[in-house]
């Protein structure tokens, strides 16, 4: 049995705040070869997760917000937001499931946000994500402006 301690989640939040990317994972699965990838992902509001899709057949991705407040967005093939859902442990939606092949990103809307993620494995960095060419690379100077624009597009319900 694996016990997930509150202290581990609090330490994860601190590690994310100190990280240059402003996010940090805590894997529950024991290896990247696991058929089911299970992990916590602490994210700060200024982290940028480049929109992407999972093209392997049947590869869904599920996010449950266990702390803070986040948003999940899906896009059409041209990069237009087609759906957004605010997720938080106290909100109307506590989680979402992204279907295979859907362009998407996940956002942190409050400091100390933690998601539990579940997706089919095994993980292989070479083909895990197909990054959207219409969205800036994290190393591009324009990714901060892009992140602000998509957050503004969520609307007033996001509490921004």
């Amino acid at each position: 049995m694996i016990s997930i301690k509150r202290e581990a989640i609090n330490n994860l939040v601190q590690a994310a705040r100190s990280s240059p990317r402003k996010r940090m994972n805590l894997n529950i699965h024991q290896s990247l070869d696991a058929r089911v990838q299970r992990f916590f992902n602490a994210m700060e509001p200024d982290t940028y997760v480049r929109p992407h899709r999972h093209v392997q057949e049947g590869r869904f991705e599920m996010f449950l917000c266990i702390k803070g407040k986040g948003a999940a967005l899906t896009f059409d093939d041209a990069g237009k937001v087609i759906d957004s859902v605010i997720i938080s442990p106290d909100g109307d939606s506590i989680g979402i499931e992204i279907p295979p092949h859907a362009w998407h990103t996940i956002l942190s809307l409050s400091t100390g946000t933690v998601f539990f993620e579940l997706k089919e494995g095994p993980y292989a960095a070479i083909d895990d994500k197909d990054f959207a060419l219409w969205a800036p690379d994290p190393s591009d100077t324009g990714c901060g402006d892009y992140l602000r624009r998509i957050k503004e597009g969520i609307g007033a319900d996001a509490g921004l």
Side-chain angles (χ1 to χ4, degrees):
M1 182 171 8
I2 298 172
S3 176
I4 295 122
K5 304 283 188 188
R6 186 174 307 279
E7 179 182 13
I9 299 301
N10 292 338
N11 290 340
L12 184 65
V13 167
Q14 291 304 319
R17 287 181 180 151
S18 302
S19 165
R21 292 181 354 140
K22 300 299 181 194
R23 65 180 185 258
M24 189 66 62
N25 285 3
L26 172 63
N27 290 350
I28 304 304
H29 54 277
Q30 300 300 308
S31 79
L32 296 179
D33 293 350
R35 291 186 312 130
V36 179
Q37 305 286 297
R38 305 168 318 278
F39 55 97
F40 293 91
N41 194 344
M43 299 173 63
E44 289 300 299
D46 50 349
T47 194
Y48 170 61
V49 177
R50 186 177 184 183
H52 62 280
R53 62 185 174 180
H54 303 281
V55 294
Q56 303 90 339
E57 201 53 46
R59 295 272 175 113
F60 69 91
E61 191 168 21
M62 176 177 265
F63 296 88
L64 299 174
C65 188
I66 66 158
K67 184 175 181 184
K69 186 178 189 182
L73 286 76
T74 55
F75 304 86
D76 66 15
D77 287 336
K80 179 183 175 198
V81 174
I82 55 175
D83 198 8
S84 65
V85 176
I86 306 300
I87 54 178
S88 76
D90 303 319
D92 289 338
S93 295
I94 62 167
I96 52 90
E97 183 173 291
I98 304 288
H101 308 285
W103 293 109
H104 65 281
T105 191
I106 192 86
L107 307 170
S108 169
L109 301 177
S110 67
T111 189
T113 296
V114 179
F115 300 103
F116 177 74
E117 293 187 41
L118 176 77
K119 60 184 177 178
E120 187 176 351
Y123 174 80
I126 195 164
D127 69 353
D128 180 60
K129 294 178 181 80
D130 176 25
F131 290 105
L133 298 178
W134 39 260
D137 184 271
S139 64
D140 291 350
T141 57
C143 73
D145 290 337
Y146 178 78
L147 181 60
R148 275 189 293 285
R149 280 197 316 277
I150 60 174
K151 280 186 177 183
E152 289 168 1
I154 295 171
D157 291 340
L160 302 175

